[in-house]
Structure formats: C-alpha cells, structure tokens
Amino acid sequence: MEPSLSAFKNLPAAPVAQKRTVTDTRHGVTRHDDYAWMRDENWQAMFKDPSTLDPAIRSHLEAENRYQQAAMADTEELQKTLFAEMRGRIKEDDSSVPSPDGPWQYGVRYVTGGEQPKYFRIPRASGDEQMMLDGDQEAEGKPYFRLAGAGHSPDHAAMIWGYDDKGSEFFTLKVRNLTTGKDGSDLIENTGGGAAWSADCTGFFYTAVDDSHRPSKIFHHRIGTRQSDDVLIHEETDTGFFMGVSGTRLNDFIMIGINDHETSECWVMPANDPKAKPRLVAERQTGVEYSLDEGGDVFFILTNADGAKDFKIMQTPVGTPEPANWSEVVPHKPGRLILSVSAYRNHLVWMERENGLPRIVIQDRTTGEEHAIAFDEEAYALGFHGSMEYDTDIVRFSYSSMTTPSELYDYNMTTRERTLLKRDEVPSGHNPADYITRRVMAPAEDGELVPVTLLYRHDTPLDGTAPCLLYGYGSYGIAIPAGFNTNCLSLVDRGFVYAIAHIRGGKEKGFAWYEAGKRGNKTNTFTDFIAAARYLDRQNFTSHDRIVAQGGSAGGMLMGAVANMAPEAFGAIIAAVPFVDVLNTMLDDTLPLTPPEWPEWGNPVASPEDYRTIAGYSPYDNVTAQPYPPILAIAGLTDPRVTYWEPAKWVARLRQTSTSGAPVLFKINMAAGHAGASGRFQRLEEIAYEYAFALKVVGKA
C-alpha cells in the first residue's frame, strides 16, 4: 500500500468527532454508539428544509468537507482534466429517437451546455417540433433540481410532470396544457413522482408519500381541483411495503402494485371509472412475486408462484384475474431467469438471462412460435424498450458492450428485420479495437465461480503492475450489466483494468444467485468480492495494493464489509452513499426504508438470529483496530435512502480506530440526496472527483 500512503502528504489535522456514548440493548446484547448524536432529531423536517439542520452537526459536516478538500487539493487540475475528458465523450446536443404514439412521436434531447433534459414531440406525419418541457428552464436558479419525467395524456392534450428541488425525493406534480404550453393551477406535493392518467384525461392517479417517505396511499386527482379534495383510492397500512400506480398501453386499466423485496400484490381498476373499487388479483403470500401486463382480453403474469424460482409466464382473463383462472404460457426453466414481459396485439415479448447473458425472446401469440434476439460477445448488455403502442409489430431494443457504444434498433417481430436507428457517438473519438473486454470466473471460498467482467487497453501490461478499479454491488437481485461506459475510459486510458464483480446477491446467474447473497447468506456477497480481488491479483491483472474497490448504496455496505474483513486485499476503497450502519438502521422502524428492507436483510427487532447475522457484518459495528487502506466516503445531506449520518458515523469510527495512518475522507454534498448531483455534467464532476482519488492513491495523479 506504499503508493496510497505516500500520496497524501502534509495533511491538516482530520476532524475529530465528539463522543457522546449511548447504549442499546436487544436480545440480551448491549452495544455502545459514540456517534449517534450525528443523527438530527428533526431529520424528517430537515429533509424538506435543509436549513433546519442542527448547527453542531452542520459544523462537523462542514469540517469534514474542508478536510477532504485539503486532502484532494493537489488533484484539482486532474479533476478538471477528467471532467473535460468525460464531457468530451458525451454528445452534448444529443437527442433520443422519438417514439411513436398515435398522431405524435415523443422524444427527449439535451442541448450543448444543458444539464437537464428537454421533452419534445413531433407530428407523426409531418410538421414542426413542439417543445413540451424545458428542464434547463425549470431548473434555473435552483442548486438542486431533478425531473421525475413527463407523461402525456391518452388524448395528447396535456402532460403530467414532476420535480424534486431538494434531493429528498418528495416530488411535486404539475399539469401542463400542451396547446398553450402553460401549467395549470394543479400542484400536487409529496408524491413518489409518477402518475397514471384516467381514460377520459380529466384526472390522474398518483402515489402520496408520507412524512417518513413511505408510499402509503393512492389518490385520484381531478384536474382543476385542490389536492385536499383528492379522493383516496387505496391505502397500504403495512409499513413494510412499497406501493405504486401505473396505466397500460391500451389505457384500459389502472394498476396498483404493492411489494417488498420478496412479496407482491396487484390490484386493478378500470381506467374510465375513478369511482370504481380496485380489484385484488391475488392475495399476497410471503415469498410469492407477480406482476401484470395487459394483453387485450387477458393479463399476462410474470410470477415465481408454485416454486418457479426463475419465474414463469401465465395468463388470465381480465374479467376474472384470480389465480384459479391462471394458465401457463411460458414454463419455468431452472437457471433461465425471466426478467420482464411485454404484451402486444400479435406478440408476447420477454427478457431473460441465462449463464449471465441476456436475450430477448418473441412469441407469436397465435402460433406459439418463438425466436430470440441474442449476440455473440463474451459479455454484453441488452435493453428492451418496447413500444408505447399495443397494436404494433415494431419494438425497440438497445445493445452495447464494454467496448461497443450503445446501438438502438427497431425490430419487426413478424419479419425479424432489424433497423439501426442510432449508434451513440463519442465526439472525442473511440476505437473499439484499442480495448479488450473479457469475462473471467473467480473461484469463491465455497467453490462457486464468480463472473468478473474486465475492460482494459490492448497495450496494458498484465504483469501485476496495472492498477484496477473493482466495482461491486450484490444486493436486491440487481444484475450489473456489462454495457458501454464512457466515463471509465478515463481510468482505462491511464492504464487501469476496469472490473465488475458479479457477486452473489445479484441475479447474474439466476434467482438462486440472489438467494445465496441475502439475509443469512449475506456474507457470500462480501467473500465473493474479496475472492474476485484476490483472483485478479493471482492472475496478474493487477496487484492487491493497486486495487481500488468501489461501490455505492448497498454496494457501499459491501465496501465497508470488505474493508473490515480483508483490508490488506485493497489499496483503497471508495464508498458512495454507503449503507454502513446496517444494524442501527434495521432496528429503527421509523426510518423511511427499514420495514420494507427486512425481507432483504432480516428483521433484527423480532429475530435474535437476524440480529446476530447483521451484527456479524454491519460495517459500522465491526470497525476494529487494524490497518485500513485510504477510504473515501461520499454522501448527500437530504438522502432519504441512506441517511447522511451513516457514513458520517462510520468515518468517525474508522478515523479513531484504524492503525494504518491512511486518511479517511468524507465528502458530503450539502444540496443533494441519494442520486448525487442532479445535472448530467454536475454528476460528471462527482465522478471526476472519485477517479482523481483512485488515480492519486495508486500514484498516477
């Protein structure tokens, strides 16, 4: 770790957090927490108005920011260079290929210098473009601004759009008249950001978020009325479940989806009758997931019911959707994970993944004949974009790999013809032949093989001297795609090997890969990542002290865990919005996400076994006196998902306990939440900062 330690010289004294010890006893175990005071007692109000933050906490966080600025001061020019490189790879005046829907085609574009998207439409036949929403104009003068998107009405006369201007993810909805281009008087506050139009376009359905940021109620809003007059449609009283509302391609139904991380429940109601009572499709059963897609007179159902661990597709009449009427369309096949399903008049389309690679499968609804869209590269990413329209033979998909910029295709499901619509440009230039992408398998402690995707230049020496950025996530069944990423080229072009460890807790190798990395099996996620690092070291792709580990959110928990378990395996660690105070958070059911997270991590309130499991790996609770490598933590003050005090406490304990003398830096954005900065270029500045840290610790700054 010599390069990483020598990189930081003449640092000022690091902030020393005051200790105010509190104790907590659960299941006969007493823990001591010196830094619980960093959680603002008034945190719920602070998320909506950051100026109310306790002055003592603000003073400490500002001291942390001054310290990291001093530590990284010698990289300021490098950060500017990295930012310019990454920005140079973005086509600044980029536009999507408009998607047809009825008489219009809808698209999104950015302009040169613009941070926010602009939503536009053009007549399908011919005519002038209409700007529906200018994100840059709406964001003007606001330190933080994030659009929730824009949804046009079925009659194409209006659109609902939402925004968050604090980073707290409490979204406000407005309604814009697309003839006049002006917003009406409707102002719907504290929502989840999305909405679904009623069929007659006189109102819409939305999810209301309570003070604890839980989506607990669905309302119907009639345009032109006050929010206080909105009609409650459905309420979820179990604080462990999320709830959302959506429409369908045919605008026939409103769907209410309720789920946690392992159980779901769907309710449907006619889109033309806001006074109708939602109808339950199938009562929730713990561990059973299902979702609906309308297919004319039937619903298609993606479900893991009846032991279909990797999911199957069923159908049921829309008039009698109960499980007694479900019939099988696509059977369960172990190891082939069905990810999503979309129905059109003549075809059924689903995304699946097998052996770590995705493909799109298309079935003729009349004949049952199937064919697949797949590619031959060792590792690649595939995205299904579908169509806004139901009565169509044309759908869209995208393809990319670590070396191939994204390509967008129209695909005729009947003739099987592909039409290339767009290939992402890299304005500063990109030659795929300069790079090599590989998929290697790292043996885990128990013999499982962990896929690792690699990207490096063809002239990078594979003799152990190359630095490596090793990224991991491994939670919630989320698979990390091996897609094109222009940002990482700034590291790769400087001699880095860029690696993604597809560890257990994701679904890269099917649903069982997810189950093997959750709850009682969670430590597999961490040992898999360590195994990947050690494999890359043994195979001379890099050396242990030149590996910079990186992860965010639940991947930040991964960073905290591997730092405790194997600090010698890494040269440095970058943890973004890291979920590191896992035990305290899972013990506190007043926090926004705690009850819905219990199925993923376990419920330490009710279960002594879950308590012991989480206590055994929770990064904050397992910081010990050992030589930690340099660590960079990044957070947002108004983050409702991973609250700011988690990394703040973790950093304080690391700094007090580590025996290495390596710096622990904490950068907190005082005007952002979980997603970081809101603009596309502001986000690049944050990435440039992280990459500058990585380059600095390996001696390449």
Side-chain angles (χ1 to χ4, degrees):
M1 275 186 280
E2 186 57 34
S4 59
L5 290 178
S6 62
F8 294 92
K9 296 177 181 177
N10 303 317
L11 288 183
V16 177
Q18 184 181 0
K19 292 184 179 181
R20 304 179 198 169
T21 306
V22 298
T23 60
D24 181 77
T25 302
R26 311 284 181 117
H27 308 297
V29 179
T30 298
R31 292 179 304 122
H32 303 274
D33 189 345
D34 293 332
Y35 305 110
W37 63 269
M38 292 187 185
R39 168 177 162 166
D40 194 327
E41 293 181 2
N42 200 30
W43 59 269
Q44 290 170 313
M46 190 278 295
F47 279 172
K48 294 182 178 180
D49 182 3
S51 69
T52 63
L53 179 67
D54 182 301
I57 299 172
R58 180 177 295 277
S59 176
H60 177 73
L61 297 179
E62 289 173 344
E64 289 284 9
N65 269 339
R66 287 193 297 272
Y67 178 65
Q68 57 84 10
Q69 286 168 358
M72 293 290 287
D74 60 346
T75 70
E76 287 181 4
E77 287 305 313
L78 174 61
Q79 290 178 50
K80 292 176 183 176
T81 300
L82 292 167
F83 172 79
E85 287 176 5
M86 290 186 282
R87 182 166 180 166
R89 298 189 194 102
I90 294 175
K91 190 172 186 294
E92 292 204 23
D93 57 347
D94 200 14
S95 176
S96 68
V97 179
S99 299
D101 186 22
W104 295 91
Q105 297 186 82
Y106 291 84
V108 182
R109 79 153 49 91
Y110 287 89
V111 297
T112 300
E115 294 275 7
Q116 300 288 342
K118 300 177 188 294
Y119 292 84
F120 69 91
R121 66 180 182 179
I122 56 176
R124 193 162 184 170
S126 64
D128 295 333
E129 175 187 297
Q130 178 187 355
M131 184 61 62
M132 304 188 325
L133 179 69
D134 184 333
D136 288 318
Q137 185 175 310
E138 300 297 338
E140 194 170 339
K142 299 180 175 68
Y144 180 93
F145 186 82
R146 177 183 166 196
L147 283 168
H152 61 270
S153 58
D155 64 3
H156 306 275
M159 75 172 188
I160 304 163
W161 67 282
Y163 65 90
D164 165 24
D165 57 8
K166 296 181 180 64
S168 58
E169 298 182 37
F170 287 94
F171 289 92
T172 298
L173 299 180
K174 291 185 175 183
V175 179
R176 178 159 297 186
N177 183 309
L178 291 179
T179 300
T180 66
K182 304 212 177 279
D183 293 325
S185 60
D186 307 82
L187 193 70
I188 313 301
E189 297 181 308
N190 298 332
T191 80
W197 284 96
S198 57
D200 64 3
C201 306
T202 61
F204 57 87
F205 302 83
Y206 67 92
T207 308
V209 179
D210 66 18
D211 286 341
S212 294
H213 211 275
R214 292 181 180 132
S216 57
K217 295 177 180 179
I218 303 292
F219 285 94
H220 177 260
H221 173 76
R222 189 169 182 82
I223 292 174
T225 64
R226 294 174 301 178
Q227 184 175 5
S228 58
D229 296 329
D230 291 352
V231 177
L232 178 65
I233 300 297
H234 194 76
E235 181 173 5
E236 175 54 50
T237 57
D238 189 329
T239 57
F241 282 78
F242 302 96
M243 183 164 58
V245 63
S246 61
T248 63
R249 286 183 192 84
L250 285 168
N251 300 309
D252 286 349
F253 291 96
I254 299 297
M255 297 190 177
I256 298 170
I258 303 170
N259 67 281
D260 62 14
H261 292 298
E262 64 179 13
T263 303
S264 54
E265 181 176 273
C266 296
W267 298 70
V268 298
M269 59 183 291
N272 61 1
D273 186 4
K275 296 180 180 177
K277 286 189 175 182
R279 179 173 185 168
L280 177 63
V281 176
E283 190 173 347
R284 69 188 70 167
Q285 297 179 50
T286 300
V288 176
E289 298 179 62
Y290 72 97
S291 59
L292 306 183
D293 198 74
E294 185 190 8
D297 57 352
V298 298
F299 290 127
F300 288 99
I301 304 160
L302 179 62
T303 183
N304 66 349
D306 308 313
K309 184 173 290 189
D310 287 310
F311 289 78
K312 60 183 177 180
I313 300 173
M314 313 284 282
Q315 70 177 29
T316 189
V318 297
T320 53
E322 295 77 15
N325 300 313
W326 292 10
S327 59
E328 189 174 86
V329 178
V330 180
H332 174 244
K333 177 185 174 184
R336 177 198 64 183
L337 179 65
I338 302 178
L339 302 166
S340 63
V341 62
S342 300
Y344 302 92
R345 182 176 297 282
N346 299 314
H347 299 91
L348 185 68
V349 187
W350 64 91
M351 279 277 295
E352 62 183 39
R353 187 186 301 113
E354 193 168 17
N355 295 322
L357 292 176
R359 60 177 169 260
I360 298 168
V361 182
I362 296 163
Q363 182 188 85
D364 186 298
R365 288 180 60 178
T366 301
T367 67
E369 183 181 3
E370 295 178 7
H371 68 278
I373 303 173
F375 292 84
D376 296 328
E377 283 197 73
E378 233 179 282
Y380 61 84
L382 205 55
F384 182 71
H385 303 266
S387 170
M388 292 183 184
E389 299 179 307
Y390 176 75
D391 190 3
T392 183
D393 287 332
I394 307 295
V395 290
R396 284 186 181 168
F397 72 88
S398 58
Y399 165 81
S400 73
S401 75
M402 298 287 279
T403 59
T404 308
S406 183
E407 299 171 341
L408 182 69
Y409 291 87
D410 262 352
Y411 185 79
N412 189 305
M413 296 182 285
T414 300
T415 67
R416 306 188 185 183
E417 291 177 288
R418 300 179 188 180
T419 303
L420 177 64
L421 301 175
K422 180 183 178 184
R423 181 179 286 117
D424 279 1
E425 295 179 38
V426 181
S428 58
H430 175 71
N431 181 6
D434 290 341
Y435 304 92
I436 294 171
T437 185
R438 291 187 57 189
R439 172 68 61 85
V440 298
M441 294 292 187
E445 285 185 346
D446 58 1
E448 285 281 5
L449 294 177
V450 180
V452 183
T453 301
L454 304 176
L455 175 70
Y456 51 89
R457 286 187 64 90
H458 67 85
D459 55 357
T460 297
L462 301 182
D463 58 4
T465 62
C468 173
L469 188 132
L470 178 60
Y471 175 84
Y473 189 75
S475 291
Y476 305 116
I478 293 173
I480 305 301
F484 191 65
N485 173 2
T486 60
N487 295 330
C488 72
L489 296 178
S490 285
L491 293 180
V492 173
D493 286 344
R494 287 174 172 81
F496 267 71
V497 173
Y498 183 85
I500 302 171
H502 304 283
I503 49 187
R504 278 175 281 191
K507 289 179 183 170
E508 281 89 343
K509 296 175 75 171
F511 197 84
W513 198 245
Y514 169 40
E515 287 187 316
K518 68 181 291 196
R519 295 196 71 153
N521 298 320
K522 191 61 205 171
T523 52
N524 285 334
T525 301
F526 316 138
T527 55
D528 281 1
F529 190 83
I530 294 166
R534 288 179 170 154
Y535 176 82
L536 296 177
D537 175 273
R538 285 196 309 274
Q539 297 299 313
N540 282 333
F541 286 106
T542 185
S543 295
H544 69 93
D545 58 353
R546 297 183 69 69
I547 297 175
V548 180
Q550 182 191 42
S553 197
M557 176 194 63
L558 167 69
M559 296 299 102
V562 301
N564 289 332
M565 295 169 69
E568 78 290 344
F570 307 97
I573 288 173
I574 300 172
V577 290
F579 179 33
V580 283
D581 196 10
V582 184
L583 187 55
N584 279 323
T585 294
M586 288 297 102
L587 285 168
D588 186 352
D589 63 5
T590 69
L591 291 172
L593 295 183
T594 291
E597 296 287 304
W598 284 334
E600 179 76 15
W601 314 108
N603 182 349
V605 177
S607 166
E609 182 181 358
D610 287 349
Y611 181 97
R612 287 191 296 271
T613 297
I614 297 172
Y617 68 74
S618 176
Y620 178 64
D621 295 279
N622 287 279
V623 171
T624 58
Q626 58 180 332
Y628 287 90
I631 292 175
L632 169 63
I634 298 172
L637 180 64
T638 54
D639 186 347
R641 298 171 186 261
V642 176
T643 50
Y644 73 86
W645 57 83
E646 292 202 27
K649 292 168 57 178
W650 179 54
V651 165
R653 182 171 280 183
L654 279 167
R655 197 175 283 141
Q656 178 213 16
T657 311
S658 175
T659 62
S660 68
V664 182
L665 308 183
F666 182 33
K667 181 178 191 286
I668 180 163
N669 189 329
M670 302 296 279
H674 195 68
S678 56
R680 59 174 177 160
F681 301 130
Q682 292 172 335
R683 177 66 187 133
L684 292 183
E685 291 176 352
E686 295 186 348
I687 297 170
Y689 178 91
E690 294 178 33
Y691 283 4
F693 175 84
L695 288 160
K696 182 179 174 73
V697 295
V698 300
K700 282 185 170 283

